Amino acid sequence: QQQQRQQQKKPQPPKQPQPPKPQPVALDQKQRALELPGADESADEADETQQPEPRRALPGEHFVPKKTKSKSKPTAHDRLAGARFRMLNERLYTSSGSEAYGLFRSNPDLFEVYHEGFKAQVKRWPVNPVNTMVKYLADKPVDWVVVDMGCGEALIAQSVQQRVHSFDMVACNPYVTACDMAHTPLKKRSVNVVVFCLSLMGTNYVEYLMEAHRILVKDGTLKIAEVSSRMKDPDSFVKIVLAVGFEVVSQDLRNPFFAEFEFVKSTASPRAVEEVDAADVLRPCIYKRR
């Protein structure tokens, strides 16, 4: 009995603590996609549905879409370039063609600033109207003569088989002829198609339409793409073009940003239109002051 008591009093070695049992960890969709075969596609789809749709850029608007993680934020240089573009763009809308032509002739560098800003805006558009014009000409006879008014870098001339006269206020490359679009060097009734792609910008834009009428052959085609927000009433704009001496063939107002029209020359000589009425029909783009 004494031995048993001694054994009972003998100190026992301390018990080793048991490691805690691993607890299940909640995995998010991206982690599960790494472990579950075939789950990566559904995870990506779920992520896409949870993200809001990026807002589309309006014509002339300068901003960086939110859903572009790979793109850096605009630098001070970018903001300055955007501000200069908006300033020049507004000035073109509120000046006559001859005034704008004189501005760029006296300072050609401004034209480069303008078109660099313009190209930055084009990248944010859901569709480029120039591509629509190129597609239209692809189905037309190759012996047609085309005029691209306010051509910029003359992308139409570089994309179609027809002969294209490309006019703008500065000749930025060998395709372009510098001139005031109200007074081109072409002869009467010498071209088949005249294109205005976002280029009815001057306060005297009706004179551009009259010049298009002068150089078009009988039954020649006038193609116009313009910023929809400039038109308070598209029918009123159509009436202006009809008053010059055209008949409407078609109009496409489905795109929320750009309106497209096709007209045909219907009179032998262009008719004058009051500029006061025209200015109210096709309004200039004025930017908010920041």
Side-chain angles (χ1 to χ4, degrees):
Q1 292 178 354
Q2 186 176 1
Q3 289 179 352
Q4 289 178 354
R5 294 190 192 97
Q6 291 177 353
Q7 289 178 355
Q8 290 177 355
K9 293 180 179 179
K10 188 175 181 180
Q12 299 294 328
K15 294 184 179 181
Q16 296 294 331
Q18 296 295 325
K21 294 183 180 181
Q23 299 294 324
V25 179
L27 302 178
D28 59 21
Q29 290 178 332
K30 287 293 184 182
Q31 291 172 316
R32 285 199 295 270
L34 298 175
E35 297 185 6
L36 303 178
D40 52 344
E41 294 181 2
S42 61
D44 289 340
E45 291 176 1
D47 276 358
E48 289 296 325
T49 57
Q50 291 174 2
Q51 296 291 338
E53 287 294 325
R55 182 169 66 86
R56 293 178 176 177
L58 300 177
E61 187 176 0
H62 181 76
F63 77 101
V64 177
K66 293 182 180 179
K67 195 180 177 181
T68 52
K69 296 181 180 179
S70 61
K71 294 184 179 180
S72 59
K73 294 182 179 180
T75 63
H77 178 272
D78 295 332
R79 291 191 292 270
L80 178 60
R84 295 184 71 187
F85 166 75
R86 290 190 296 271
M87 177 194 70
L88 286 171
N89 203 36
E90 183 173 318
R91 185 164 182 178
L92 293 179
Y93 277 116
T94 55
S95 304
S96 68
S98 60
E99 292 171 341
Y101 182 53
L103 170 67
F104 287 123
R105 280 182 64 85
S106 62
N107 194 345
D109 291 341
L110 289 180
F111 193 78
E112 182 177 353
V113 170
Y114 173 79
H115 274 283
E116 286 300 317
F118 184 81
K119 287 189 291 186
Q121 304 309 310
V122 171
K123 294 178 181 179
R124 296 175 173 86
W125 293 350
V127 62
N128 187 349
V130 169
N131 297 333
T132 304
M133 300 298 179
V134 170
K135 185 177 180 180
Y136 167 82
L137 292 170
D139 297 330
K140 303 307 176 185
V142 295
D143 60 348
W144 273 16
V145 180
V146 180
V147 172
D148 184 5
M149 294 284 207
C151 63
E153 295 179 322
L155 296 180
I156 293 179
Q158 300 179 57
S159 306
V160 302
Q161 296 182 348
Q162 292 88 351
R163 181 186 178 188
V164 180
H165 295 283
S166 303
F167 296 120
D168 214 320
M169 290 172 284
V170 173
C172 61
N173 62 46
Y175 291 93
V176 185
T177 300
C179 74
D180 179 355
M181 293 187 297
H183 307 285
T184 69
L186 300 177
K187 297 180 179 180
K188 293 181 180 180
R189 297 180 290 277
S190 59
V191 305
N192 303 96
V193 183
V194 174
V195 172
F196 288 96
C197 193
L198 310 182
S199 54
L200 291 174
M201 299 181 69
T203 56
N204 62 325
Y205 73 86
V206 172
E207 294 182 12
Y208 302 162
L209 297 174
M210 294 174 65
E211 177 66 0
H213 189 285
R214 184 186 72 82
I215 62 179
L216 276 169
V217 299
K218 181 182 178 182
D219 299 327
T221 300
L222 173 65
K223 296 284 290 184
I224 298 175
E226 257 308 329
V227 180
S228 299
S229 59
R230 294 188 64 196
M231 301 180 186
K232 185 163 55 176
D233 178 16
D235 291 337
S236 297
F237 174 71
V238 170
K239 290 179 180 178
I240 291 287
V241 183
L242 298 184
V244 173
F246 292 93
E247 291 182 359
V248 63
V249 176
S250 65
Q251 56 181 346
D252 187 352
L253 308 177
R254 293 173 296 177
N255 189 301
F257 300 104
F258 307 109
E260 298 180 4
F261 303 88
E262 181 176 335
F263 301 90
V264 62
K265 180 177 176 178
S266 60
T267 62
S269 300
R271 297 189 293 261
V273 179
E274 291 292 335
E275 289 191 12
V276 175
D277 297 334
D280 187 55
V281 170
L282 197 57
R283 300 172 294 184
C285 290
I286 304 296
Y287 298 93
K288 294 181 179 180
R289 297 295 185 265
R290 299 184 178 181

